[in-house]
Each structure stands twice: as C-alpha cells, then as structure tokens.
C-alpha cells in the first residue's frame, strides 16, 4: 500500500528512496576502490521505512539516527556531495570531515546527532523530547534504532522514563533480523534478546507498540502519523517496530554489492536479477515494491521511472566529483570545534 499522499508527493518519495539506493551503491564502490574511509553501514533495503517515516513528520521534528543514518540524512535533504565529503574526511563535509559516517549530523535539518553506539541514541532522543515538553514546543522526537538496541539496558530505561513522563517521543525500531540468505550469507551476528516479540518490551512499561511490514510504505507512514499525533496531543510515546529482511549485501561485516547494482526492471522482471537475489528483489525489497505499486496505480510509467533514476545517478556522480575534489582539512583545524579544558 502506498502512503496516503498525492501523486507529486509520492513521486518525491520515490526520488528520495532512489537517491539513497544509488548514493549508497556508489559509496560501496568507493570503499572498494579505496582509499579506505573506515567502517560504515548502509541503509539499502530499509528505504521504505525511513523515507515514509520522515514524510509523516513535520520538518521541525527531531530525528536521532543510529549507525544506518545515511537514509535519514539524505531524506531530510542533506547535500549528497557534502555527506560523501564528510565520510571521506574532507573539509567541505557536513561536519567538516570530523564526524565521518558514524557520527554525521545536520542540526539545521533537525538531525542533531548520530550515535553508532548501539542503543546510545535512544535516551538522547527521549531527552530531546523532554526538552520539547518543558519548552512547550510541539516538536516530536524520533529515536531510530535496530532490533539490537532492544538488548541494551539504556533502551529499556528510556522507554520507562518516557512512558512515566509522557514525553513526545517515537521509538522506531527497524527489525532486520530475518536473514535473507541464512547462514550462507556470511555470518553477520544475529541479535540476542529473550523477548520473542520486541513490542512486549515496550508494552511492559505501558508504551503502546505496533508492528508494521517495513516494505509497506503506506503502513509505515500511517503508523508514524498516528504515533506523532499521539505524541503531540500529550499522549506519550509509541513503539513502532518495522520488520524487513536485511539486504543480503549487509550480511557480511562490510557492505558488498554481492550481485551488482539494483536495476529498476527487476521490479517488473525479477527473474532478470542475478540468481542470488531474485527472491529478495521479488518479495523483500521495499523500494522495488514501492515502484511496482506506483506503476500498477498508473501514477508513473516505466520510462518515467527510468528517467528519474538516470537523473539521480548523474546527481550522485556530481556528488562523487565534489567530494573527491574537496581538500582535506588543514592539520591545525584539529584544534577547532572541540571542547577543551582551559589551560592552567
Ligand atoms: C554498545 C555497542 N556494542 C556493539 C557495537 C558493535 N555493533 C555495531 S552495529 C551492531 C549490530 C547492531 O544491530 P542492530 O541494532 O539490530 O542494527 P542493524 O545493524 O541490524 O541494522 C553491533 C553489535 C556497537 N556499535 N555498540
Ligand atoms: Mg538488526
């Protein structure tokens, strides 16, 4: 089901999801080519969670991502060239090359921080929601985390206090534990939690929990709208669990284009995809599902989709040129933008 939005907005969502996909596929190629920019994670395969979730919120709402943050930064409008420059450690980067991928932020876009510490972002988001409540603003804060963060004590504490104080926060848990290729995929560690239903962790402290299919953009959009309205009406937090099958390229410890870049025709011709990923593209890739739904609702023609895609690919190439041509920061800038004790 598509989100309950008009055609222009729905096409815009497709553009954003395609930007995330193409930009990250290019990022993986850049990592392969080197020089290394260190460890990183991609959002491929989860675009139909983040992009519709952002569309359900107001631009003034605060977003607190975890290590799969690129989708949210690009979705909120961060410049693709500056985000890439950030990851490459360049001075034109979003954070002057000092944050890299794991801590990239865009406070001007309502993304004050990324924490790559599993569970680390959850109390920060709840704290920002408390600040909004104290200030009497109508801002909602969103904590983004994977199923892995539900194992962390701090997540439970944040759920508990947010429930007691009814702070306007949404806990959006992206559960990608279901392995697409099973053990053959390279042994990415599975999460460890004794809860067989993650929502029960939230329910145990009085936070209502809903589960949505994370490839169903309309279901994500509606769940987030309902949660945001509830938060704004002083109803307190909601736990939204969006389930997806992890993109097989994220199963190895480092992301890999194990079957090349996505081709749009896999949406209507999945058997054309490499054998390894036919099932994933046919049933588990939310982006291709979204495209199929746009085509079957006659909101878009295949040729229009291809045209949008090639515009985005060119846009991404321009971002790569910008990031590559940007300079590294001068060594003395290491002392700028940091907190330090005054010298004695
Ligand atoms: C506190 C902490 N422990 C371990 C790690 C190493 N680590 C990075 S990502 C990750 C898996 C997180 O799983 P999940 O939260 O479900 O996110 P996913 O990668 O599946 O999207 C781990 C254990 C970390 N970053 N922080
Ligand atoms: Mg996970």
């Amino acid at each position: 089901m598509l989100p309950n939005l008009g055609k222009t907005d729905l096409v815009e969502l497709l553009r954003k999801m395609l930007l995330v996909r193409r930009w990250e596929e290019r990022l993986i190629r850049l990592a392969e080519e080197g020089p290394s920019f260190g460890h990183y994670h991609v959002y491929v395969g989860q675009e139909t969670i983040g992009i519709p979730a952002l569309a359900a919120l107001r631009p003034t709402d605060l977003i607190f991502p975890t290590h799969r943050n690129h989708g949210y930064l690009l979705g909120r409008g961060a410049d693709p060239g500056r985000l890439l420059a950030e990851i490459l450690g360049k001075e034109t980067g979003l954070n002057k090359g000092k944050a890299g991928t794991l801590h990239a932020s865009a406070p001007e876009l309502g993304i004050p921080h990324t924490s790559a510490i599993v569970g680390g972002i959850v109390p920060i988001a709840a704290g920002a929601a408390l600040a909004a409540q104290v200030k009497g603003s109508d801002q909602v804060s969103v904590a983004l985390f994977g199923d892995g963060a539900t194992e962390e004590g701090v997540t439970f504490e944040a759920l508990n206090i947010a429930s007691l104080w009814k702070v306007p926060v949404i806990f959006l848990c992206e559960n990608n534990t279901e392995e697409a290729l099973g053990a053959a995929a390279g042994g990415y560690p599975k999460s460890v939690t004794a809860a067989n239903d993650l929502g029960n962790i939230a329910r145990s402290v009085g936070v209502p929990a809903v589960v949505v299919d994370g490839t169903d953009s309309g279901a994500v959009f509606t769940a987030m709208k309902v949660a945001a309205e509830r938060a704004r009406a002083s109803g307190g937090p909601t736990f939204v669990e969006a389930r997806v099958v992890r993109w097989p390229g994220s199963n190895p410890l480092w992301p890999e284009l194990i079957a090349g870049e996505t081709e749009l025709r896999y949406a209507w011709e999945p058997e054309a995809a490499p054998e390894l990923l036919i099932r994933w593209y046919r049933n588990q890739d939310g982006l291709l599902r979204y495209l199929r739904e746009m085509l079957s609702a006659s909101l878009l023609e295949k040729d229009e989709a291809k045209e949008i895609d090639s515009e985005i690919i060119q846009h991404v190439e321009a971002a790569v040129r910008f990031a590559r041509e940007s300079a590294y920061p001068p060594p003395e800038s290491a002392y700028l933008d940091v907190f330090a004790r005054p010298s004695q």
Side-chain angles (χ1 to χ4, degrees), residues 39 41-42 46 66-68 116-120 145-152 174-177 188-191 246 250:
H39 201 27
H41 305 266
V42 292
Q46 298 182 204
T66 184
H67 53 288
R68 298 194 192 279
I117 297 171
V118 172
F145 51 98
D147 45 283
T150 60
E151 305 157 14
E152 300 292 328
E174 304 196 27
N175 184 352
N176 58 4
T177 45
Y188 193 92
K190 280 205 171 207
S191 298
R246 182 197 298 277
S250 280

Side-chain angles (χ1 to χ4, degrees), residues 78-102:
D79 180 78
R82 290 194 62 209
L83 180 56
L84 195 52
E86 182 56 40
I87 294 172
L88 300 188
K90 303 294 182 81
E91 67 179 346
T92 55
L94 276 187
N95 311 109
K96 303 183 191 169
K98 291 182 176 177
T101 165
L102 296 181

Side-chain angles (χ1 to χ4, degrees), residues 308-338:
I308 291 174
D309 190 36
S310 42
E311 272 170 37
I312 287 171
I313 290 171
Q314 283 174 32
H315 192 40
V316 169
E317 283 313 314
V320 172
R321 279 194 299 278
F322 169 82
R324 275 192 168 145
E325 287 164 13
S326 293
Y328 286 107
E332 56 275 17
S333 72
Y335 297 107
L336 301 175
D337 307 312
V338 292

